[in-house]
Amino acid sequence: MEGIPIANVSHNDAMTMLEQTSRTFFIPISRLTEGLKEAVASAYLCMRAIDEIEDHESIADQTKITLLHSIRATFHSNNVMQELQQLLEPYANILPAVSVRMHEWLLLCPSSAAQTVYRYIAMMSEQMAEWVQRKWSIRTEEDLDGYTYSVAGMVGEMLSELWQWHDGTIADKVKAVAFGRGLQAVNILRNRTEDLERGVDFYPDGWEQADMIRYIDRNLQLANEYVADLKQGPALEFCALPLALAHATVQTIAGGGTKLSRANVMDIVSRVSS
Ligand SMILES: CC(C)=CCC/C(C)=C/CC/C(C)=C/COP(=O)(O)OP(=O)(O)O
């Protein structure tokens, strides 16, 4: 495995940012083996960076679209980091640090994984721009599948490529997409009230909570199969926690709750880690 190509201070900064931005993925990413950890952390932070643009409360839609298209374009330039830095610097006062510092997170990625990671970040930027353009209009289950693919399903595909890059682990990419879709749909279920308050409705026409739970169950069933098929190793260890948290969140909401309690989360973390 090649060495980590950056100074430790940047590595620490990235892991601190990861801890601040992700409740679910900080622990599984931190526990990955060297090389794979940097590739996944780099991808996670960059995807979070563009997600903050897509979701931003006060940036105009047209600006988001231009920015997301420009981010995609930087990945086809000769100097991605410099172009990204120059593109995002003017937004230093309006975007969160995880977005403004996106070029730094790219530096974390081992060079032999960069092609995969860059390809998916560029693709996600492009597809997020399209969803802003469409004003997140989701009328049918096919639309929902399209949206959950753009923001999470493709992460499953990317991770599957990274498992293979790291140690030859072969994983089912169709099930990986379902895994990502299931996780995103759990977020849609959990954030329903806030989403409606901010005027966004991810439910297809005519869907009730029960329909969304059925959609989640179908996708998480495939996620269970994805995990069951994995050999022992970092990929399997990574997947266990998000999958257990997703199942527990759906159970809680289906039972009338709103989200997992801190005690529930701690219990699941310790059960999955032992
Ligand atoms: C094969 C495989 C592992 C597939 C899964 C792919 C994957 C990790 C998709 C990310 C989905 C997602 C909803 C992230 C944000 O979650 P969050 O808002 O719950 O988490 P946060 O704590 O990071 O904000």
Side-chain angles (χ1 to χ4, degrees), residues 74-211:
T74 63
F75 285 91
H76 300 289
S77 75
N78 289 330
N79 197 338
V80 190
M81 324 270 172
Q82 199 183 333
E83 298 254 326
L84 258 184
Q85 184 174 15
Q86 282 170 1
L87 177 68
L88 292 165
E89 212 167 51
Y91 297 88
N93 291 329
I94 181 156
L95 284 173
V98 70
S99 303
V100 180
R101 298 176 66 186
M102 186 171 167
H103 63 286
E104 292 181 47
W105 319 138
L106 283 183
L107 278 171
L108 190 64
C109 188
S111 54
S112 57
Q115 206 210 19
T116 297
V117 169
Y118 286 21
R119 178 160 45 86
Y120 279 100
I121 299 168
M123 186 158 62
M124 189 178 279
S125 302
E126 182 73 14
Q127 295 193 12
M128 281 181 171
E130 284 164 20
W131 283 103
V132 179
Q133 183 86 54
R134 284 178 64 167
K135 299 201 175 302
W136 300 271
S137 166
I138 291 173
R139 312 290 309 267
T140 63
E141 183 170 338
E142 201 184 341
D143 294 337
L144 178 64
D145 269 343
Y147 180 70
T148 54
Y149 175 76
S150 297
V151 300
M154 74 165 76
V155 183
E157 280 180 339
M158 179 197 70
L159 288 173
S160 303
E161 284 182 35
L162 291 177
W163 311 146
Q164 187 163 7
W165 160 78
H166 177 67
D167 64 4
T169 296
I170 302 287
D172 183 325
K173 280 202 181 171
V174 173
K175 291 176 183 166
V177 169
F179 196 158
R181 284 195 170 121
L183 297 185
Q184 183 62 30
V186 171
N187 282 356
I188 291 174
L189 180 76
R190 192 190 60 202
N191 299 339
R192 178 70 171 155
T193 311
E194 300 96 274
D195 286 341
L196 288 178
E197 273 167 17
R198 65 185 181 102
V200 190
D201 182 0
F202 295 110
Y203 279 38
D205 291 350
W207 275 33
E208 309 278 346
Q209 189 182 74
D211 300 291

Side-chain angles (χ1 to χ4, degrees), residues 141 144-145 178 181-183 185-186 189 203-223 247 250-251 253-254:
E141 183 170 338
L144 178 64
D145 269 343
R181 284 195 170 121
L183 297 185
V186 171
L189 180 76
Y203 279 38
D205 291 350
W207 275 33
E208 309 278 346
Q209 189 182 74
D211 300 291
M212 190 55 80
I213 290 176
R214 272 192 290 275
Y215 179 85
I216 292 170
D217 284 345
R218 272 200 308 280
N219 281 293
L220 290 187
Q221 179 54 40
L222 291 166
H247 278 296
V250 186
Q251 249 180 14
I253 295 176

